[in-house]
Amino acid sequence: MSVRIDIAGLRPERVAVVPSPLAELGMALHALSEPGHHPGLQGWVTGVTARLDSHLADRMCEADFLWRTTYSDLFLPYAGIPGALPAATLAEELDLLDKLTDEQFVDAALEFTCAPAYDSKVPDILSDATTRRRVLEVAAARGPRQVRFTRRLIADPPSVRAWVRRFLEDCDEAVFADTWPRLRHQLAADARHKTELLRHKGLAEALAAVSPAVALDEAAGLITVDKLSEGRAVTTGGSLLLVPTSLGWPHLNVLYRYGWQPVLHYPVGSPELASPPSVEQLTLRMAALSHPVRMRICRHLARSAYTTGELAQVHGLTAPEVSRHLGVLKKAGLVSTRRRGRYVLHQLDVTVVARLGSDFLEGILR
């Protein structure tokens, strides 16, 4: 399984390596919401959480599916604007976010619905009743806050867009303004290094330096990103953006949304993970994870809680088949289950999985 980017005809000058303050703010919000994904950031997360205003913390919960369940493309808005690049300041990038159409904004904001056609043209949520019903049904499984937010977003995109901008500005003031100056220098240095590789050694060398999971077939004009997901993007008439992140490990995000510029959002640095479990636990858990279908299910459950029906739809299986796989994972102590109203939600315990080793954790979170 992999994500492929067709770069046939892409000119070297249309490849850019640029840090993005908005992308890094989005990754900061993700790390605060899912600290288990980022063992090396525990100290930073603890310090920020301790001084976080309770009102701002509540607002974070209201729309956390933008950075928790998935990493929303709204944090990379320049990809949706032909010829645009990441800007030097957060304010400038928020201005780029404002330039997205309502249709682009709503589609990207509701990415958490796991639409199977992310890389192809689909009916517009704002105008297609069937798509709206499906989006609201998926939101219902996430809880009342997300239902309310989704209904507001569909009914009145401009007011929600204004809310999102104010929220991100408040997060910058409270959390990010002290962190970004320190991160900016590291990211700028990495961008300079990758740009020098592009100029002097070519795209293949630069991509190899981004991640061992990224490879270029120069003859075919194809970049392959080794991930537990499938997708395809094309750079025809556009650009390829490489955006480094200091807070993102182990996530290697690929934006391959239909009609947007492809983006590789890659981590700089790799923190250490915790010690492995006992031999008995390791044997049981690795046996549970040995099936490729269960590995793909774990990829979804590592990001958020899902119902059996949702997992069945995404993976093209029957509900009983998914239930059997979940039973094996639960017996190994890797998946927890909770009930919310009429929905039964399953989620991966990433802290337990982290003890199996960095290779597996990085593989399913990449």
Side-chain angles (χ1 to χ4, degrees):
M1 302 183 74
S2 60
V3 176
R4 294 178 172 84
I5 303 174
D6 186 341
I7 61 167
L10 179 67
R11 300 194 304 273
E13 65 269 20
R14 299 306 299 271
V15 182
V17 189
V18 190
S20 167
L22 180 55
E24 201 70 348
L25 172 56
M27 195 53 71
L29 290 169
H30 172 72
L32 290 170
S33 298
E34 287 287 3
H37 288 196
H38 305 273
L41 298 177
Q42 292 290 345
W44 178 80
V45 169
T46 300
V48 170
T49 303
R51 65 176 187 270
L52 193 63
D53 175 76
S54 60
H55 178 60
L56 183 59
D58 287 342
R59 291 163 67 198
M60 283 185 180
C61 294
E62 188 170 348
D64 68 353
F65 56 78
L66 293 177
W67 54 81
R68 185 173 189 165
T69 307
T70 58
Y71 182 82
S72 174
D73 293 341
L74 293 180
F75 293 107
L76 308 163
Y78 29 81
I81 303 170
L85 293 173
T89 68
L90 180 65
E92 291 173 299
E93 292 201 330
L94 291 176
D95 290 341
L96 291 175
L97 181 60
D98 289 341
K99 291 182 179 180
L100 295 179
T101 66
D102 283 348
E103 290 77 12
Q104 286 178 305
F105 188 95
V106 171
D107 188 45
L110 296 178
E111 185 183 333
F112 79 99
T113 57
C114 299
Y118 173 84
D119 57 355
S120 60
K121 189 173 179 59
V122 295
D124 175 47
I125 294 171
L126 294 178
S127 59
D128 185 76
T130 301
T131 305
R132 286 200 303 276
R133 283 195 297 271
R134 180 185 177 276
V135 164
L136 289 167
E137 173 64 21
V138 175
R142 302 291 179 271
R145 281 190 174 187
Q146 291 181 359
V147 173
R148 288 195 298 270
F149 189 93
T150 302
R151 289 189 184 278
R152 285 173 51 208
L153 180 59
I154 293 173
D156 188 6
S159 71
V160 175
R161 296 181 68 159
W163 183 95
V164 169
R165 174 157 187 154
R166 286 195 302 271
F167 168 74
L168 293 175
E169 290 170 339
D170 290 345
C171 286
D172 177 46
E173 181 179 351
V175 174
F176 194 62
D178 292 336
T179 303
W180 174 244
R182 172 175 54 84
L183 301 180
R184 180 180 57 200
H185 297 297
Q186 180 187 16
L187 297 178
D190 182 82
R192 286 193 297 270
H193 172 62
K194 299 294 193 301
T195 300
E196 286 300 305
L197 286 176
L198 278 169
R199 289 174 179 169
H200 300 293
K201 295 190 176 181
L203 182 57
E205 289 286 340
L207 292 176
V210 163
S211 169
V214 183
L216 171 64
D217 184 337
E218 295 188 80
L222 198 66
I223 296 171
T224 300
V225 185
D226 184 28
K227 290 172 66 73
L228 277 170
S229 58
E230 293 186 18
R232 190 177 183 92
V234 179
T235 60
T236 303
S239 304
L240 174 65
L241 300 179
L242 309 182
V243 178
T245 168
S246 290
L247 302 177
W249 189 89
H251 305 302
L252 173 60
N253 293 321
V254 186
L255 189 161
Y256 55 99
R257 179 179 295 278
Y258 178 84
W260 291 41
Q261 298 178 82
V263 179
L264 283 174
H265 187 209
Y266 64 92
V268 176
S270 302
E272 294 295 324
L273 284 173
S275 301
S278 66
V279 173
E280 292 81 7
Q281 290 173 321
L282 183 63
T283 301
L284 179 63
R285 290 170 181 170
M286 292 306 292
L289 294 168
S290 62
H291 198 289
V293 172
R294 288 197 284 273
M295 287 185 67
R296 291 197 294 272
I297 289 174
C298 284
R299 173 177 171 77
H300 279 84
L301 298 184
R303 286 163 166 75
S304 183
Y306 287 90
T307 66
T308 300
E310 288 173 335
L311 293 169
Q313 181 180 10
V314 169
H315 294 284
L317 301 171
T318 65
E321 287 174 323
V322 172
S323 293
R324 285 195 291 272
H325 286 301
L326 289 172
V328 174
L329 294 169
K330 283 188 280 189
K331 184 177 180 181
L334 300 173
V335 168
S336 61
T337 298
R338 70 180 187 274
R339 180 176 290 277
R340 177 180 285 144
R342 63 188 179 92
Y343 300 100
V344 176
L345 302 172
H346 313 282
Q347 188 161 22
L348 190 74
D349 188 333
V350 294
T351 303
V352 172
V353 175
R355 292 198 294 269
L356 295 178
S358 61
D359 288 346
F360 183 79
L361 184 65
E362 182 177 357
I364 63 171
L365 291 178
R366 185 185 301 148

